[in-house]
Structure formats: structure tokens, C-alpha cells
Amino acid sequence: MEEIGQNLERVRTQIADAAKRSGRSADEIELVAISKTHEVEKVHAAFDAGQRLFGESRVQEARAKIPLLPSAARWHFVGRLQKNKIRHAVPLFELFHSVDSIELARDMNRIAEEEGLHPRVLLEVNLAGEGSKIGFAPDALRAGMETLLAFPRLMVEGLMTIPPLAPEGEASRPFFIALRELKEQIEKEFGAPLPQLSMGMSGDFPVAIEEGATLVRVGTAIFGKRTPAKVRAERAGEI
Ligand SMILES: *Cc1c(COP(=O)(O)O)cnc(C)c1O
């Protein structure tokens, strides 16, 4: 558990270094500690080491975990949100990173209306064009943007992407650049500010910061490896 504090410190230093390299203030970047699959004790250790913002990717798991952590912990949702989980999820999370279709946005908007809430959301973009990956293709996002911005209950605050898995963080750079450019285009075209760019995971978050990330989603570098069975289920979209 002591390790978690050290890991966090290392990640925070890397964030500060990357910010400095790119002439940014480290205050512009928020670290989301991705605690999915990790036991409550480990999340507690991170909380005790000063981390307040956590990310989960399964509503069921988050519903069990969140009440066990101090209420000062804040939670983001980074997974694939199933329609039948929206009602449970909307009050739990302060930001949804992964709205990946108009249908999901429409369902969230309707349920948020019924619940009297205004969820903050990011739109997930699939920049690699991989068939198996979720997210809006850039053209589809532009085509749907007016509809997305018109949902009165959703606060659309930015974009998110997950580049293809690569052994080197540097391989993600073109995708991070593309996300930033897409954000700038959409801001210009639709006159809508999109302040948040959620990009960068354990293997590539310093590169993401150099390219403008405001939210980095780091799991393994803080909490250690997730168990292989869980990683497999995660890839298959079961988690
Ligand atoms: C699991 C997950 C992460 C964290 O990945 P690490 O490589 O463990 O840092 C980040 N973003 C999303 C969307 C995830 O599902």
C-alpha cells in the first residue's frame, strides 16, 4: 500500500515535468486515478496519499465501492455506459468521459431530465478507425455535433480518445494531436467551448500532456497491474 503513495508521487512528478516541457502549468492537468478492478483498500491508500479524483468503468462496481470511500473522493466514469445503468450512474459521477453515440446521449439527457440533474460529459472519438473500437468517427461527430449540443440536460465539455495499444507512448502522439485539432475545429465551427481533452493512460500520459491533455486517466502506474482475467474481460467489453 505504501507503494501506491510512491507511485502517485512519481506520476505527479511526471505530470509536472511534461507540463513544464510544453510550457503549461501543471494546474491545467487533472489526474484521474483509474481504480477499476482494484480493491477498496488500494483506493483508500491513494486517498490517504492525497488523491481525490478516481475513475471507474463499471457502474455495478462503482456503486459498491463509492460508499466505502470518504465522501471527499470524486468520481469520473470512463467505461462503456449501458442503457440500463444510466439511472444509477448519473448521480454518482461528476463527469462521463465516454459518451460514444447520439443514442446514449439522448438516453442520458432524458434520464437526467427525469432525475433533475445536469451531467457533464465528454464525447469519445475513435481516431484510428478500428472497427472494434467504440467512439464517434470524426466525421460522424461533426455531423452529430449540433444534435449533441442541443440536449438541454447534457453539459458537453470536451473530447476523449483511447489510441490503439502500442509498446511506446510516442506512438500515441499523432492521435493526441488529431484530437486537439478536432476539438479546435469543432469549437470554431460550432462556437461551443470544449475545454476538456481527456487523453493519456499509464503508457502515454506525458505525451498526452505535451499535446494538450487536461485530464489524464492513469490506472496501472498507480495501482499496479489488473489481474489477467479482468484485463481479458475488459478488452471483450464485459467490464
Ligand atoms: C482502464 C482505463 C484506463 C487506465 O489504463 P492504464 O493503462 O491502466 O493506465 C484509462 N482509460 C480508460 C478508458 C480505461 O478503461
Side-chain angles (χ1 to χ4, degrees):
M1 297 293 161
E2 243 169 66
E3 232 170 80
I4 290 179
Q6 289 162 7
N7 292 346
L8 264 170
E9 206 165 292
R10 185 170 5 88
V11 169
R12 289 192 192 121
T13 305
Q14 286 174 287
I15 290 173
D17 290 348
K20 204 168 184 181
R21 271 200 303 281
S22 45
R24 304 180 63 199
S25 157
D27 299 344
E28 295 170 29
I29 299 124
E30 226 183 339
L31 170 61
V32 190
I34 304 296
S35 50
K36 66 183 183 199
T37 78
H38 294 292
E39 60 211 42
V40 169
E41 288 69 27
K42 290 171 100 175
V43 190
H44 239 296
F47 185 91
D48 288 342
Q51 182 64 26
R52 290 293 175 268
L53 179 56
F54 298 93
E56 287 283 332
S57 65
R58 285 180 67 210
V59 176
Q60 244 171 313
E61 183 182 340
R63 286 181 73 198
K65 217 180 248 179
I66 291 174
L68 302 176
L69 269 293
S71 60
R74 298 153 50 213
W75 300 88
H76 285 187
F77 189 79
V78 300
R80 193 167 204 179
L81 186 54
Q82 291 169 297
K83 190 175 174 175
N84 63 351
K85 301 281 167 53
I86 297 173
R87 201 174 298 278
H88 284 306
V90 160
L92 290 180
F93 298 99
E94 65 172 47
L95 182 68
F96 291 84
H97 285 234
S98 43
V99 170
D100 61 354
S101 70
I102 303 242
E103 291 67 40
L104 175 59
R106 183 172 286 119
D107 288 334
M108 286 181 78
N109 180 70
R110 177 175 50 77
I111 290 169
E113 163 113 59
E114 290 165 9
E115 302 291 327
L117 296 167
H118 289 86
R120 297 166 52 208
V121 305
L122 308 180
L123 304 169
E124 179 168 355
V125 186
N126 177 359
L127 293 163
E130 295 165 294
S132 61
K133 273 261 189 83
I134 51 176
F136 289 94
D139 285 346
L141 182 63
R142 261 195 233 100
M145 204 60 206
E146 225 158 76
T147 308
L148 290 160
L149 290 171
F151 288 123
R153 287 279 163 174
L154 299 189
M155 325 283 281
V156 179
E157 295 192 356
L159 305 182
M160 178 270 219
T161 199
I162 308 174
L165 222 89
E168 290 280 323
E170 201 51 48
S172 300
R173 191 181 298 274
F175 298 100
F176 296 151
I177 293 173
L179 194 71
R180 187 188 65 224
E181 289 178 349
L182 181 63
K183 159 202 142 80
E184 287 163 358
Q185 274 171 22
I186 288 178
E187 284 180 323
K188 217 186 279 171
E189 203 172 321
F190 296 90
L194 297 174
Q196 303 284 4
L197 276 179
S198 168
M199 54 191 201
M201 301 166 49
S202 291
D204 55 16
F205 70 89
V207 179
I209 290 168
E210 289 171 14
E211 299 304 339
T214 61
L215 291 158
V216 290
R217 312 177 308 267
V218 180
T220 309
I222 296 169
F223 295 107
K225 281 203 167 67
R226 294 178 288 276
T227 65
K230 283 178 175 167
V231 170
R232 267 201 302 279
E234 200 179 289
R235 296 242 169 87
E238 290 157 19
I239 290 185

